């Protein structure tokens, strides 16, 4: 998933279309077919439905961030994006082992099973989504 | 004489009481020495620093702190335009910042340079300047009278900065603080790691034959970038005229920075592989044409948030701030030991509410300081 994170950084740190095309060429030439398919899925704006909804994510964020709920809401209002707010308010981020997983492994082994989790798996689920996300 | 002492002691206890009851009512002293409650809106506060239409004012010492209108005596924390304004009769600044203040004020302004920590007296009030770590010569102002100590922070940061003296914790009863970045999303990476990002960006642009135009506040931030980059290179950096005159003042004060060259129109080709430092106002101006193919970057604490970065249309945002981040603000409030926190500008309401919920006496003050960086 490091390569995908690097691709995202490259796309995010330039306003030049040529530079973005170059970064995508680089990425797609160097990864497996299934990683390329998942990357394409994200880049064209598709979303997995019903894995974890935004209201549940907000709830988890409030617990993980160790801040008053109103302050999390206010920060979210100022940042304007929930995923980014999570990245900014939950320090730590991904461990090296999580980063070594491929994009496909992230989807198949970590993200997709979330929709099938039992309530008892909630704590683990929360750590995966909120704290280990490679943002 | 004895009566005077009794009255003073009385006034002191009334003053103490006031802080505990400030939200519901306040106590005021009548002529015969009897106290009665009055609604807070009518209260003639006996705070030694008050927000007035001209700026923060100290009645017993008859001086203003960073006033936004012309006054008789202005004590100024640092030379940024929202804190140092022209038109006052006399200015007092910390000595290492005197040259910058002199540069920014109209010729002939009466300016007194006061070494850090050296006490000054204004009637019953003792004042001293202490390093704030914001930019060269920036100061917090300590105000003491009647056994009470107030500190006005101006702008400050806790991160190391090779271009100025580090922030000094000054114990006080009341701490008047900035709150520019007082939201928990704002946490700064180390300046060294940001300098490395800037350097890598510059080198990558150069490999592709492009100039790197880095926008940074002309006073303070630009010089900090030049000083931080010394750990990575000794190459000269091209600077905009607005940056160049301030770099000269920093050099005269003995601050070590990368060599700089002026961006002259005749040397367009030389600029191609260069790093160019310019104030944000130069973005999109005809001045930029001379650099041909280039990429742009912006150095600011606001770059911590992607939306702010994208809205401004720069290719890159570098998170480098001369203000305290969320953890530094909280740490500073704790370390000063202040029993009361007053917040001057930025996300003042969020911070005030957060502190109140932690049991700290905190509120926002109305001021006209800006949030630019």
């Amino acid at each position: 998933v490091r390569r995908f994170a690097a691709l995202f950084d490259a796309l995010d740190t330039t306003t030049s279309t040529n530079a973005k095309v170059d970064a995508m060429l680089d990425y797609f030439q160097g990864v497996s077919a299934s990683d390329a398919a998942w990357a394409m899925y994200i880049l064209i704006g598709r979303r997995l439905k019903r894995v974890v909804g935004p209201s549940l994510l907000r709830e988890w964020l409030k617990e993980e961030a160790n801040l008053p709920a109103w302050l999390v809401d206010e920060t979210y209002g100022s940042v304007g994006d929930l995923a980014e707010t999570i990245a900014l308010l939950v320090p730590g981020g991904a461990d090296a082992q999580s980063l070594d997983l491929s994009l496909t492994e992230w989807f198949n082994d970590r993200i997709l099973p979330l929709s099938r989790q039992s309530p008892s798996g909630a704590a683990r689920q929360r750590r995966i989504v909120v704290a280990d996300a490679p943002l | 004489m004895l009566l005077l002492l009794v009255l003073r002691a009385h006034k002191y206890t009334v003053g103490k009481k006031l802080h505990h009851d400030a939200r519901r009512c306040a106590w005021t002293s009548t002529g015969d020495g009897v106290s009665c409650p009055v609604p807070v809106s009518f209260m003639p506060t006996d705070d030694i620093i008050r927000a007035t239409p001209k700026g923060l004012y100290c009645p017993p010492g008859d001086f203003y702190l960073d006033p936004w209108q012309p006054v008789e005596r202005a004590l100024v924390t640092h030379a940024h335009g929202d804190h140092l304004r022209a038109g006052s009769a006399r200015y007092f600044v910390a000595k290492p910042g005197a040259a910058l203040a002199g540069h920014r004020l109209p010729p002939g302004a009466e300016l007194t340079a006061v070494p850090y920590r050296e006490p000054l007296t204004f009637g019953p009030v003792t004042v001293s300047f202490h390093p704030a770590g914001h930019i060269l010569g920036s100061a917090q102002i300590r105000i003491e009278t009647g056994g009470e100590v107030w500190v006005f922070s101006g702008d400050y940061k806790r991160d190391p900065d090779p271009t100025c003296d580090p922030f000094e914790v000054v114990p006080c009863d009341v701490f008047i603080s900035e709150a520019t970045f007082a939201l928990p999303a704002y946490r700064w990476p180390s300046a060294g790691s940001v300098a490395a990002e800037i350097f890598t960006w510059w080198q990558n642009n150069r490999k592709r034959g492009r100039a790197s135009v880095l926008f940074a506040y002309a006073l303070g931030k630009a010089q900090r970038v030049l000083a931080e980059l010394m750990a990575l290179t000794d190459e000269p950096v091209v600077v905009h005229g607005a940056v160049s005159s301030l770099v000269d003042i920093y050099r005269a004060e003995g601050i070590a920075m990368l060599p700089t060259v002026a961006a002259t129109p005749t040397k367009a080709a030389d600029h191609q592989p260069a790093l160019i430092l310019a104030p944000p106002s130069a973005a999109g101006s005809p001045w930029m044409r001379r650099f041909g193919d280039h990429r742009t970057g912006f150095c600011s604490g606001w770059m911590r948030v992607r939306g702010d970065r994208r809205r401004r249309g720069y290719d890159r945002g570098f998170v480098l701030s001369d203000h305290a981040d969320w953890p530094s603000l909280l740490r500073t409030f704790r370390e000063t030991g202040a029993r009361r926190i007053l917040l001057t500008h930025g996300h003042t309401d969020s911070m005030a509410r957060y502190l109140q919920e932690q049991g700290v006496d905190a509120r926002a003050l109305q001021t006209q300081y800006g949030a630019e960086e």
Side-chain angles (χ1 to χ4, degrees):
Chain A
V1 79
R2 285 177 206 274
R3 301 193 63 157
F4 184 71
L7 170 64
F8 179 84
D9 265 351
L11 296 176
D12 189 44
T13 54
T14 179
T15 51
S16 149
T17 305
N18 287 338
K20 289 179 185 183
V21 171
D22 288 348
M24 285 192 281
L25 266 175
D26 257 13
Y27 177 81
F28 286 113
Q29 283 169 354
V31 297
S32 69
S34 70
D35 269 19
W38 275 118
M40 185 68 82
Y41 185 88
I42 297 167
L43 291 176
I44 63 175
R46 295 285 299 275
R47 286 168 180 223
L48 295 166
K49 292 210 175 75
R50 307 246 166 251
V51 176
V52 184
S55 59
L56 194 54
L57 275 177
R58 268 212 297 278
E59 227 173 87
W60 291 347
L61 170 60
K62 282 171 188 173
E63 289 167 36
E64 289 284 334
N66 194 24
L67 291 166
W70 65 266
L71 187 55
V72 172
D73 287 337
E74 216 164 296
T75 305
Y76 174 38
S78 173
V79 171
D81 180 89
L82 184 56
E84 188 184 356
T85 309
I86 293 170
L88 292 173
L89 290 188
V90 182
D95 55 77
Q97 212 184 343
S98 302
L99 285 174
D100 285 340
L101 297 175
S102 71
L103 188 62
T104 307
E105 286 168 323
W106 255 88
F107 273 99
N108 288 344
D109 303 347
R110 294 212 162 183
I111 296 174
L112 288 172
L114 292 178
S115 55
R116 302 191 296 269
Q117 282 276 346
S118 64
S120 61
R124 185 181 134 68
Q125 181 174 342
R126 182 162 75 217
R127 282 229 62 85
I128 289 171
V129 174
V130 177
D132 287 347
L135 294 163
Chain B
M1 183 64 186
L2 184 65
L3 183 67
L4 194 69
L5 280 173
V6 170
L7 281 174
R8 286 184 66 172
H10 171 73
K11 190 173 172 238
Y12 186 67
T13 52
V14 168
K16 287 277 183 199
K17 172 109 184 147
L18 187 133
H19 298 305
H20 299 295
D21 289 355
R23 284 208 206 137
R24 279 176 290 114
C25 70
W27 295 85
T28 188
S29 193
T30 59
D32 56 7
V34 178
S35 295
C36 65
V38 292
V40 72
S41 53
F42 301 115
M43 178 187 67
T45 164
D46 63 357
D47 282 354
I48 63 173
I49 305 292
R50 301 170 196 176
T52 75
K54 289 183 178 176
L56 298 176
Y57 179 57
C58 175
D62 190 22
F63 58 79
Y64 286 82
L65 302 169
D66 292 0
W68 42 86
Q69 281 178 32
V71 299
E72 272 304 303
R73 286 193 286 199
L75 274 57
V76 175
T77 58
H78 66 286
H80 280 148
D82 53 334
H83 292 260
L84 173 66
R85 294 174 196 246
S88 288
R90 290 192 70 186
Y91 294 90
F92 297 83
V93 299
K95 196 156 183 285
L100 288 171
H103 175 75
R104 291 233 151 167
L105 288 171
E110 197 184 320
L111 190 66
T112 305
V114 189
Y116 283 136
R117 299 173 200 91
E118 187 173 293
L120 275 181
T121 308
F122 295 94
V125 181
T126 307
V127 167
S128 49
F129 291 82
H130 301 262
H134 176 60
I135 61 168
L136 176 63
S138 66
Q140 314 169 69
I141 301 176
R142 181 186 186 275
I143 302 122
E144 178 172 9
T145 187
E148 202 173 45
V149 176
W150 288 50
V151 169
F152 174 55
S153 79
D155 292 334
Y156 65 98
K157 70 170 173 288
R158 304 299 302 268
D159 307 62
D161 177 344
T163 67
C164 61
D165 289 297
F167 180 94
E168 176 183 313
V169 174
V170 182
C172 56
D173 298 296
V174 183
F175 187 59
I176 306 176
S177 176
E178 65 139 318
T180 307
F181 290 104
L183 278 181
Y186 296 107
R187 293 162 203 259
W188 309 145
S190 78
S193 69
V194 177
E197 276 178 44
I198 293 171
F199 185 69
T200 306
W201 172 71
W202 171 17
Q203 299 311 309
N204 285 339
N205 286 336
R206 160 185 282 172
K207 272 184 226 150
R208 293 171 176 82
R210 294 177 189 132
S212 306
V213 182
L214 184 60
F215 297 107
Y217 206 79
L219 170 54
K221 191 69 58 68
Q223 292 75 24
R224 189 178 176 202
V225 169
L226 289 170
E228 292 285 356
L229 284 174
M230 287 184 80
L232 300 156
T233 178
D234 52 8
E235 275 188 76
V237 171
V238 177
V239 291
H240 184 276
V243 173
S244 161
S245 56
L246 294 161
V247 165
D248 291 345
I249 295 176
Y250 268 65
R251 288 201 202 284
E253 295 288 326
I255 308 298
M257 290 170 290
L258 285 181
T260 47
V261 292
T264 53
T266 51
K267 293 166 90 183
D270 301 349
H271 294 151
Q272 210 52 18
L275 176 68
I276 298 118
L277 264 177
S281 56
S285 73
W287 182 82
M288 295 286 296
R289 283 187 205 137
R290 72 194 66 191
F291 302 118
D293 189 12
H294 66 268
R295 291 285 180 267
T296 58
F298 185 41
C299 277
S300 164
W302 299 114
M303 297 296 96
R304 176 83 168 139
V305 171
R306 183 169 179 272
D308 281 324
R309 205 162 71 230
R310 304 305 285 187
R311 248 193 311 284
R312 291 172 205 237
Y314 301 113
D315 292 307
R316 286 294 300 266
F318 298 102
V319 185
L320 189 67
S321 177
D322 287 330
H323 293 269
D325 61 3
W326 172 262
S328 294
L329 288 168
L330 295 177
R331 170 185 159 209
T332 305
F333 300 160
R334 215 170 37 240
E335 289 178 356
T336 60
R339 57 181 158 73
R340 212 170 142 208
I341 306 290
L342 300 173
L343 302 158
T344 54
H345 57 298
H347 290 281
T348 53
D349 292 336
S350 310
M351 181 54 98
R353 181 173 168 192
Y354 180 78
L355 292 173
Q356 284 160 12
E357 289 182 359
Q358 314 279 312
V360 179
D361 182 355
R363 72 183 168 88
L365 281 178
Q366 287 296 317
T367 70
Q368 295 182 15
Y369 307 127
E372 252 191 63
E373 182 178 53

